[in-house]
């Protein structure tokens, strides 16, 4: 139909956009011109001949363009002048049945029918846009519109016609949403095998396009979402959408798009940038978010049917086999394909919401069985090892933990700890005592490796020397004249490695490295966030269950089951509306014998049978009164701004009185999994091999364990953080493991002559990664600090990621999603990234990750620096938990509001 794009048509459309109603509109002249154009068009219609149909159609279309221009001009003029009298051009259009006559003629135009229908759609679209409900209820408008829409059923349309149709349907949905009394006008009676039934024509046509790519699909999804929203308060509409197979179309479309995804991707976590690069993945995520939104807003009957279909038609037959797939060759496990499928699952969990598809996905993961083995047991079994599959599984576990859902945490962690079998009996009643947390805060800082005792100021001096010699490491600013001495774009600086109290987290010229105050702020933020999120949980998990109420460490107590029934409607995993049972009501204990993790062969590590640490190994410390250390008061002249250095200096005298822990036990048996669960057991095993781990694994393991420690549930936090609580011999403690790592590191580095230089290089490398990969946007001069919306992350995956406040989070964020930036920020970061990927000869080799993988020694030094930062984070978490357990109101209203931002 390119022949329609004539000069006259283009001119008419441009004219409608450039005419100013305040100067170019004269009512009488406009009306006369409108009547004249229709009369000429009508003459062509009456006299049209088959042999001259080409010219006749072109002439009618030209006049229709003029009619549309005059209608728009009249509508805009009336809107400006607030005229209440009838619109003359519109009145003429309706009174003369022009739209009906035009439709009847279009049917007889043969091969030119689509060209005329395209102009009809444009004319209807202009009327709906500018006259809204004023015109929709008019029979001379509605009758030809319904006939035109009905003509598109069961028809494959050209691209331009389909695009115009979807645009009109979208406009109609917007008007109907504003005036839902008009919905009844678009119910048509159709004949089926079971007799006649009502059909919502708008929904019927939109369903054909909701899985399209590009603007057409996006506009169709937006329009259908409005239909779904209207169905919530209009049962007849909900019935029509169900009868029109809306749910099967949505579910099968999602399954079809998933089947087109690449089978193998070398990623640990899919970022928005990754989604944008993989076209088919973008289509799948668009469809997924659309289905999630429909489930959120639609009528309960639609939501129930959609969830059932997604469970039975997508999760079980499509997602499940993809997760469990194996290659036909017995020598190949298909681990790469499994890792990719798990990355898709993790991305899926980040994209859905609790009011949408999240509940059904969690129900599937924790209850569905393949060959007698639960899906979650299969996934937990993949935590072992250091493969890509293990790293993706870690990322999945972190995403599940970030949901802050009681059902998930119950299945992964709490059900194993409720009996208290991991603790010696004497300590089971002391879980809420703040004193062990105070002691642990000191103890964790005492585990800092000897090589990391090197002052951070020494590292800065080393950077200064390299900068002055012209070596490009980090962009650096002189404090004196604010001039960059050495560097390129990006303004990254290392000028404040030891930060001060008034640390500016939004300043890209700052680093969070070695900032104990930043860890305190981060710990408070995380603990308060999770305290607020868990406020409606049925249990505080601050005490163990009496032995008579438990069964093999996995049964939930009668009291908790009763509480679960009381809040069944609020359970994310519960699907009572769809006829599913809740996770807590499912008898998972009887299925544990089939757990893949329990079927795995035990890998015996080096065994050092040592005596357990003394019960009173740490002396009692004083109460805390805020963010100053709970052990001391720092003199003003010695205050270094809550850095860990000042914290360590202040406890030197205290540590003289603190007895050393005995050499920790490094080995454990498989029975640890049955005592504390496969997740915790696997994480502790991975932390034991922390020094040998790749950077990605080390960062992810520390991140997951820290997030578990944030939960305000003493039954878990005490296990991870309090070395004063003695555990059963088969259960390793995190403190024991980290203590052993310190010993290994000290032995490894004792004979190294260049250990100080290697530590400096590792610190610079990690700061460089922090700055480059977290993409903290620079503050614009015109951006107000008081406007949180301007700084808010608008990424579609914002829901599951908390605000980064510490460097450990930035370490792991290099594998998390990247934030969405404004164009100016993107330009700035693109320049920065250009410097990051500059040729090796322009940058020292140690700023590249490949350098640290050359030997186990280099990797251990890098992980030692990460471990040193992690110990600060754990210490800060302990301090904040001690404050929480002693404060009357730890999560005050003001802070909660700031967290919500």
């Amino acid at each position: 139909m390119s022949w329609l794009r004539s000069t006259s048509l283009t001119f008419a459309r441009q004219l409608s956009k450039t005419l100013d109603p305040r100067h170019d509109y004269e009512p009488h002249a406009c009306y006369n011109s409108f009547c004249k154009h229709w009369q000429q068009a009508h003459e062509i219609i009456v006299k049209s001949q088959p042999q001259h149909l080409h010219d006749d159609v072109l002439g009618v279309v030209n006049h229709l363009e003029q009619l549309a221009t005059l209608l728009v001009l009249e509508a805009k003029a009336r809107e400006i002048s607030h005229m209440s009298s009838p619109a003359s051009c519109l009145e003429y259009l309706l009174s003369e049945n022009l739209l009906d006559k035009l439709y009847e003629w279009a049917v007889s135009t043969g091969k030119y029918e689509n060209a005329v229908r395209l102009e009809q759609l444009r004319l209807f679209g202009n009327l709906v846009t500018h006259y809204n409900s004023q015109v929709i209820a008019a029979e001379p408008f509605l009758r030809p519109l319904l006939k035109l829409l009905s003509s598109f059923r069961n028809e494959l349309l050209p691209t331009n016609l389909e695009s115009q149709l979807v645009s009109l349907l979208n406009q109609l949905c917007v008007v109907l949403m504003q005036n839902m009394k008009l919905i009844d006008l678009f119910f048509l009676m159709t004949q089926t095998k079971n007799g006649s039934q009502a059909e919502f024509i708008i929904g019927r046509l939109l369903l054909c396009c909701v899985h399209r790519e590009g603007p057409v699909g996006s506009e169709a999804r937006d329009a259908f979402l409005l239909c779904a929203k209207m169905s919530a308060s209009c049962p007849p509409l909900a019935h029509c959408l169900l009868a029109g197979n809306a749910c099967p179309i949505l579910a099968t479309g999602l399954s079809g798009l998933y089947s087109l995804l690449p089978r193998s991707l070398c990623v640990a976590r899919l970022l928005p940038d990754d989604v944008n690069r993989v076209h088919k993945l973008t289509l799948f995520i668009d469809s997924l978010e659309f289905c999630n939104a429909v489930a959120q807003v639609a009528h309960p009957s639609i939501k129930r049917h959609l969830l059932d279909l997604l469970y039975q038609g997508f999760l079980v037959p499509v997602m499940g086999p993809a997760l469990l797939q194996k290659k036909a060759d017995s020598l190949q496990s298909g681990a790469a394909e499994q890792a990719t499928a798990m990355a898709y699952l993790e991305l899926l969990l980040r994209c859905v919401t609790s009011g949408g598809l999240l509940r059904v996905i969690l129900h599937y993961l924790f209850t569905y069985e393949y060959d007698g083995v639960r899906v979650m047991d299969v996934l937990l079994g993949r935590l072992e090892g250091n493969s890509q599959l293990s790293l993706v599984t870690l990322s999945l576990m972190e995403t599940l933990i970030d949901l802050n859902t009681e059902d998930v945490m119950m299945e992964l962690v709490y059900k194993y700890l409720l009996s208290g079998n991991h603790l010696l009996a004497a300590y089971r009643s002391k879980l809420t005592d703040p004193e062990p947390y105070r002691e642990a805060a000191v103890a964790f800082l005492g585990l800092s490796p000897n090589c990391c005792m090197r002052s951070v100021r020494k590292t800065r001096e080393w950077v200064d020397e390299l900068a002055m010699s012209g070596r490009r490491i980090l962009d650096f600013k002189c404090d004196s004249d604010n001039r960059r001495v050495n560097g390129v774009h990006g303004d990254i600086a290392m000028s404040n490695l030891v930060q001060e109290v008034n640390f500016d987290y939004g300043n890209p010229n700052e680093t969070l490295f070695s900032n104990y105050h930043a860890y305190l702020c981060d710990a408070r933020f995380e603990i308060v966030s999770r305290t607020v999120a868990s406020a409606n949980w049925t249990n505080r998990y601050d005490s163990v269950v009496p032995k008579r109420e438990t069964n093999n460490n996995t049964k939930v107590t009668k009291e908790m089951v009763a509480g679960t029934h009381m809040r069944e409607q609020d359970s994310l995993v519960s699907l009572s509306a769809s006829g599913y049972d809740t996770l807590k009501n499912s008898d998972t204990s009887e299925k544990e014998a089939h757990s893949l993790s329990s079927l795995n062969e035990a890998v015996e590590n080096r065994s050092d049978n040592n005596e357990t640490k003394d019960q009173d190994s740490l002396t009692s410390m004083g109460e805390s009164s805020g963010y100053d250390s709970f052990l001391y008061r720092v003199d003003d002249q010695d205050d270094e701004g809550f850095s860990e250095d000042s914290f360590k200096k202040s406890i030197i005298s205290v540590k003289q009185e603190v007895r050393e822990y005995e050499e920790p036990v490094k080995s454990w048996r498989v029975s640890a999994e049955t005592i504390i669960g496969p997740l915790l057991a696997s994480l502790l095993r991975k932390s034991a091999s922390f020094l040998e781990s790749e950077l990605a694994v080390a960062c992810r393991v520390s991140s997951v364990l820290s997030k578990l420690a944030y939960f305000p549930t003493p039954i878990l936090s005490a296990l991870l953080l309090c070395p004063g609580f003695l555990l059963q011999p088969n259960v390793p403690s995190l403190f024991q493991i980290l203590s052993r790592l310190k010993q290994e590191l000290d032995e490894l580095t004792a004979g190294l002559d260049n250990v100080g230089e290697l530590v400096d290089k590792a610190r610079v490398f990690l700061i460089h990664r922090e700055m480059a990969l977290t993409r903290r946007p620079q503050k614009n001069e015109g951006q107000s600090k008081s406007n949180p919306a301007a700084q808010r992350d608008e990424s579609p995956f914002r829901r599951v990621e908390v605000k980064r406040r510490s460097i450990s989070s930035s370490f792991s964020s290099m594998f998390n999603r990247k934030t969405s930036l404004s164009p100016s920020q993107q330009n700035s970061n693109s320049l920065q990234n250009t410097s990051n990927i500059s040729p090796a000869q322009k940058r020292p080799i140690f700023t590249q990750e490949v350098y640290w993988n050359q030997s186990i020694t280099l990797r251990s030094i890098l992980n030692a620096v990460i471990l040193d930062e992690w110990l600060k984070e754990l210490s800060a978490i302990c301090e904040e938990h001690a404050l929480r357990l002693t404060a009357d109101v730890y999560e005050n209203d003001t802070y909660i509001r700031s967290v919500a931002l």
Side-chain angles (χ1 to χ4, degrees), residues 177-308:
M177 190 71 189
Q178 297 169 349
N179 191 349
M180 293 185 57
K181 295 180 180 179
L182 301 175
I183 290 179
D184 293 341
L185 300 176
F186 292 89
F187 289 126
L188 301 181
M189 298 304 298
T190 59
Q191 296 297 323
T192 65
K193 295 180 180 180
N194 300 325
S196 61
Q197 67 178 25
E199 177 186 68
F200 186 61
I201 185 63
I202 295 177
R204 164 69 181 274
L205 296 175
L206 286 172
L207 281 172
C208 301
C209 306
V210 291
H211 292 298
R212 291 276 198 279
E213 58 182 291
V216 173
S218 178
E219 201 167 16
R221 288 188 289 271
D222 290 342
F224 190 85
L225 193 58
L226 291 176
C227 295
K229 176 66 175 177
M230 290 185 285
S231 73
S233 54
C234 182
L237 176 56
H239 177 75
C240 285
L241 294 179
L242 285 173
N245 294 324
C247 295
I249 290 174
L250 299 187
T252 55
L254 186 65
S255 299
L257 290 172
Y258 184 88
S259 65
L260 298 176
L261 295 178
R263 296 287 299 274
S264 180
L265 293 173
C266 296
V267 292
R269 171 175 283 195
L270 288 165
L271 314 177
D273 288 348
D274 300 320
V275 175
N276 294 334
R277 282 192 295 266
V278 182
H279 177 63
K280 294 178 180 178
L281 186 54
T282 302
L283 297 180
F284 172 73
I285 292 301
D286 288 343
S287 179
L288 173 68
E289 292 180 334
F290 169 63
C291 291
N292 181 76
V294 170
Q296 277 186 290
V297 303
H299 189 274
S301 61
I302 295 178
K303 177 177 182 178
R304 180 167 56 250
H305 191 38
L306 179 59
L307 292 180
D308 286 342

Side-chain angles (χ1 to χ4, degrees), residues 867-884:
L867 174 62
D868 187 50
E869 291 299 302
W870 187 23
L871 290 169
K872 299 180 184 71
E873 182 177 25
L874 292 173
S875 176
I877 296 173
C878 291
E879 184 171 353
E880 286 299 319
H881 273 305
L883 285 173
R884 183 183 64 85

Side-chain angles (χ1 to χ4, degrees), residues 664-706:
V665 178
K666 188 181 177 182
S667 65
W668 52 82
R669 303 182 185 279
V670 176
S671 57
E673 289 192 358
T674 62
I675 297 177
I676 62 175
L679 176 60
L680 287 175
S682 296
L683 290 174
L684 292 175
R685 277 197 291 270
K686 285 185 174 297
S687 62
S689 59
F690 193 88
L691 299 183
E692 297 83 10
S693 301
E694 295 183 357
L695 178 64
V697 176
C699 292
R700 187 64 68 190
V701 169
S702 61
S703 176
V704 174
L705 282 170
S706 293

Side-chain angles (χ1 to χ4, degrees), residues 619 631-632 648-658:
T619 59
L631 303 174
Y632 59 91
K648 290 177 181 177
K649 289 179 182 178
S650 64
I651 62 172
I652 292 177
S653 59
V654 176
K655 290 178 64 176
Q656 304 301 326
E657 304 173 5
V658 177

